[in-house]
Amino acid sequence: AQTVTQSQPEMSVQEAETVTLSCTYDTSESDYYLFWYKQPPSRQMILVIRQEAYKQQNATENRFSVNFQKAAKSFSLKISDSQLGDAAMYFCAYNGYNNNDMRFGAGTRLTVKP
Amino acid sequence: GAGVSQSPRYKVAKRGQDVALRCDPISGHVSLFWYQQALGQGPEFLTYFQNEAQLDKSGLPSDRFFAERPEGSVSTLKIQRTQQEDSAVYLCASSPRYGPTEAFFGQGTRLTVV
């Protein structure tokens, strides 16, 4: 079974600084998707960024970028120029190519200090 | 509405009571998912619908949990004889594609069983 591990329950960053959230996963599949979701207090999961495993290039969405290391099964999220609105729970998720069940990590709570 | 809508947002049930949670997906989305998110944890997959067909219910924790999507649009998650361990946030997501790779989440229903 695939598992997703987020080893940082909490992280803190100063406004305008850069922070990296860690995620590792375990799988025997070669084709899959990886995601980072943001969950603010409103509870709605918002997709931050998505990576397809067959693509070697790291995905980037504005201030958000990932460091995808397929051999190491690592998928970290870098947030640049952190803003107060970035404060939330961040979840790493895995989805096998032909699977319907997305697997989530336990989450990292990010605090942004003004 | 433009997004996935869930109702009610909060539900308090007495132990042993039956509850029904509703999900209105984004119009035209073929895929619909239910997740259970316990306090301080990441969401866990419950079940998946492709149009009106329930293709995967492997995550339903017991036979007290039942989900339906009779017309391929609105879905209802029903929990019979609720127990305290059922207390959680129940998230619904829909996707225009098969599978969860472009899933949009609702704000969830927080169920508290007392």
Side-chain angles (χ1 to χ4, degrees):
Chain A
Q2 298 84 14
T3 58
V4 179
T5 302
Q6 293 179 249
S7 59
Q8 307 154 316
E10 296 184 358
M11 290 286 284
S12 179
V13 63
Q14 205 71 32
E15 193 176 7
E17 297 296 310
T18 296
V19 65
T20 299
L21 308 184
S22 300
C23 173
T24 58
Y25 58 95
D26 184 29
T27 185
S28 57
E29 298 176 307
S30 57
D31 291 329
Y32 49 87
Y33 297 91
L34 294 165
F35 308 83
W36 278 98
Y37 278 91
K38 171 185 178 182
Q39 188 177 43
S42 67
R43 299 199 305 258
Q44 185 170 19
M45 300 285 279
I46 301 166
L47 179 65
V48 174
I49 201 163
R50 180 179 77 177
Q51 175 81 41
E52 297 170 56
Y54 71 88
K55 291 186 177 179
Q56 294 186 355
Q57 186 173 6
N58 289 325
T60 298
E61 288 288 340
N62 300 315
R63 299 183 294 107
F64 299 88
S65 61
V66 298
N67 183 2
F68 173 46
Q69 301 290 327
K70 191 172 184 180
K73 297 179 183 175
S74 170
F75 184 62
S76 61
L77 174 69
K78 185 172 81 171
I79 306 174
S80 304
D81 185 25
S82 297
Q83 300 176 1
L84 295 178
D86 294 335
M89 285 291 291
Y90 285 81
F91 291 95
C92 178
Y94 169 100
N95 176 227
Y97 196 69
N98 289 313
N99 291 349
N100 302 314
D101 59 336
M102 191 181 299
R103 307 251 174 176
F104 288 82
T108 297
R109 181 176 302 280
L110 178 66
T111 301
V112 181
K113 297 180 179 179
Chain B
V4 178
S5 178
Q6 292 188 246
S7 60
R9 288 217 57 199
Y10 301 91
K11 175 70 177 178
V12 178
K14 291 185 177 179
R15 190 169 52 185
Q17 187 178 359
D18 296 350
V19 298
L21 312 181
R22 177 186 171 105
C23 173
D24 284 81
I26 295 173
S27 178
H29 279 196
V30 297
S31 295
L32 186 144
F33 308 84
W34 284 99
Y35 289 85
Q36 180 189 59
Q37 186 176 18
L39 185 64
Q41 300 295 319
E44 291 194 359
F45 170 81
L46 293 177
T47 188
Y48 166 62
F49 289 87
Q50 192 176 101
N51 296 306
E52 69 278 4
Q54 188 175 20
L55 297 188
D56 189 341
K57 53 182 180 179
S58 61
L60 296 176
S62 78
D63 59 6
R64 297 185 296 103
F65 287 71
F66 173 76
E68 60 183 6
R69 194 187 185 197
E71 298 178 358
S73 178
V74 172
S75 178
T76 304
L77 176 67
K78 297 179 180 178
I79 308 173
Q80 297 177 324
R81 305 180 302 282
T82 53
Q83 301 177 5
Q84 283 192 320
E85 60 262 32
D86 299 335
S87 295
V89 173
Y90 291 85
L91 294 167
C92 176
S94 69
S95 171
R97 299 176 58 179
Y98 300 131
T101 56
E102 292 185 23
F104 294 82
F105 282 80
Q107 291 184 296
T109 294
R110 181 181 295 280
L111 173 66
T112 303
V113 181
V114 298

